[in-house]
Amino acid sequence: KLFTGVKLESQLQYSSLSMGTGEQRTIKILETVIKAEPYSLILIDEIDLLLHVSSLKKLIKKLSVLAKNKYLQIIFTTHSVEMLQLTQYVKIQYIDTIHSSIDGNDSEKTVVYSGINSDLIYNLTGKASNILKIYVEDELAKSIVKRTLKSLNCSRYAEVIKYGSVENAFTLASAKVISNENIENTLIILDGDKYCESGDKERQINKKLSGTESNIDEKRRQALSLIRQFNLPQGKTPEKFFYDLLIENGDKDSELFMVAEEINVVGDEHEWLYNIRDRLNYSEENLVRDIIDIASNSPSWNDYIMPIKEWIESKVCQHIALMNI
């Protein structure tokens, strides 16, 4: 048998007998492509088989150069989600099999998607891939966003993360910009009772993003673009707003309503809700869920969530449109 060998820039020569199986396969693929006639079609099954991730990426980049120089069409299969990081070199199409039953007859249909989305990634990996990162102050805001996502059938597209004190929002936005992260699908939400005006937000961002570099104004603009707020009525805190919705829309015969109605004065704004939690021996999660169930049926609900709802809808629609190109 004839065994292919390689010669390195260091002049070291060795045969494929001395290579690992991944090396052997890589050399075989490259040898085939290099020897192929111009305009050839080359089919490769499981191109990532036996290859380390870094080796796979190098191979794909090299094959892209060879294909362009020799006008080759190289088609390969893979189960590697690393390919999503190589879209400048490859065009991804996802092949799926759909099982159906018509009039008792089972059948299979093969579908080809011109792209890959979070649902298809879940099929590949068993893990959800969230395209949206939404940051909120507390458990109440997190539950509001999750209810909004659910109403839009978008829960699978987003991850909702608490960041704590409202001042952290501006630190977080600045950090995202400084670290050169992809911020296109990132949203940082304020409750709407503090730093409501655009000037207030600008001053906070200016404190976090100080400097004299030429692009500092652009960085500040990017950081500000990440921040939105709930449409909270002026002069109210989120806790008082939802307490009022509970009183206006709650079932007057329910224990939740009766306990809430007993609260007339509080020492701290959080107590409008947390007094109810303590008296009913509820967990915070259960209390927030029950109150949002009531509040979401109020005419004020849609107006309150509108800035966030519009952002989610635009991002998800954009994502779906890209997947259909």
Side-chain angles (χ1 to χ4, degrees), residues 10 28 57 62 76 78 83 88 114 138 144 163 176 187 192 203 240 245 250 253 262 284 290 293 298 301 305 311:
S10 64
K28 181 63 177 177
K57 291 179 179 179
K62 182 64 177 178
F76 59 84
T78 179
M83 211 56 60
Q88 67 188 99
S114 297
D138 51 29
I144 294 165
Y163 62 78
K176 293 284 184 184
L187 178 65
R203 281 187 285 275
K240 184 61 165 67
L245 290 184
D253 294 325
E262 293 173 359
E284 182 178 358
D290 289 352
D293 282 342
S298 166
W301 171 261
I305 65 170
W311 185 89

Side-chain angles (χ1 to χ4, degrees), residues 7-228:
K7 182 178 181 180
L8 306 182
E9 290 181 352
S10 64
Q11 303 306 309
L12 175 66
Q13 300 182 54
Y14 66 106
S15 106
S16 61
L17 286 173
S18 304
M19 299 176 190
T21 51
E23 281 184 292
Q24 290 178 356
R25 195 159 192 271
T26 300
I27 295 300
K28 181 63 177 177
I29 290 172
L30 289 172
E31 181 184 19
T32 301
V33 173
I34 290 169
K35 289 182 178 179
E37 295 292 327
Y39 301 98
S40 293
L41 168 64
I42 299 171
L43 307 178
I44 305 171
D45 186 36
E46 297 290 349
I47 195 169
D48 56 307
L49 189 65
L50 305 174
L51 292 185
H52 188 273
V53 171
S54 60
S55 299
L56 174 63
K57 291 179 179 179
K58 290 177 183 177
L59 176 61
I60 295 300
K61 292 174 184 178
K62 182 64 177 178
L63 291 179
S64 174
V65 172
L66 292 171
K68 288 177 181 177
N69 291 343
K70 298 182 67 176
Y71 305 99
L72 304 173
Q73 184 174 18
I74 303 175
I75 298 176
F76 59 84
T77 61
T78 179
H79 289 95
S80 175
V81 292
E82 299 297 332
M83 211 56 60
L84 296 174
Q85 301 176 24
L86 299 166
T87 52
Q88 67 188 99
Y89 306 105
V90 299
K91 174 179 171 59
I92 299 175
Q93 292 189 296
Y94 184 90
I95 301 174
D96 194 17
T97 301
I98 297 176
H99 301 273
S100 61
S101 180
I102 302 176
D103 297 328
N105 297 318
D106 295 330
S107 64
E108 290 185 351
K109 182 179 181 181
T110 300
V111 179
V112 180
Y113 298 92
S114 297
I116 187 164
N117 57 32
S118 55
D119 296 328
L120 301 179
I121 291 176
Y122 182 81
N123 289 344
L124 277 174
T125 66
K127 299 179 181 178
S129 175
N130 307 118
I131 62 168
L132 307 181
K133 298 286 186 182
I134 303 177
Y135 296 86
V136 297
E137 287 189 42
D138 51 29
E139 189 64 36
L140 177 60
K142 184 175 182 179
S143 297
I144 294 165
V145 171
K146 285 195 169 185
R147 176 60 61 90
T148 304
L149 288 164
K150 183 178 180 181
S151 70
L152 297 172
N153 295 322
C154 293
S155 298
R156 64 193 184 278
Y157 295 123
E159 181 180 4
V160 187
I161 306 155
K162 290 190 289 186
Y163 62 78
S165 171
V166 63
E167 284 75 17
N168 292 340
F170 305 99
T171 303
L172 178 62
S174 302
K176 293 284 184 184
V177 172
I178 291 172
S179 61
N180 291 318
E181 286 189 33
N182 184 348
I183 58 175
E184 182 180 358
N185 296 318
T186 298
L187 178 65
I188 300 171
I189 302 175
L190 308 184
D191 282 351
D193 59 336
K194 194 173 182 181
Y195 306 117
C196 305
E197 303 300 325
S198 58
D200 296 331
K201 297 181 182 69
E202 287 176 9
R203 281 187 285 275
Q204 289 299 312
I205 287 295
N206 289 348
K207 289 180 182 178
K208 307 298 181 183
L209 275 175
S210 59
T212 57
E213 59 264 38
S214 59
N215 64 343
I216 188 64
D217 289 337
E218 175 59 21
K219 288 181 177 179
R220 288 169 175 167
R221 186 198 64 77
Q222 290 177 356
L224 280 170
S225 71
L226 300 180
I227 299 173
R228 290 197 181 194

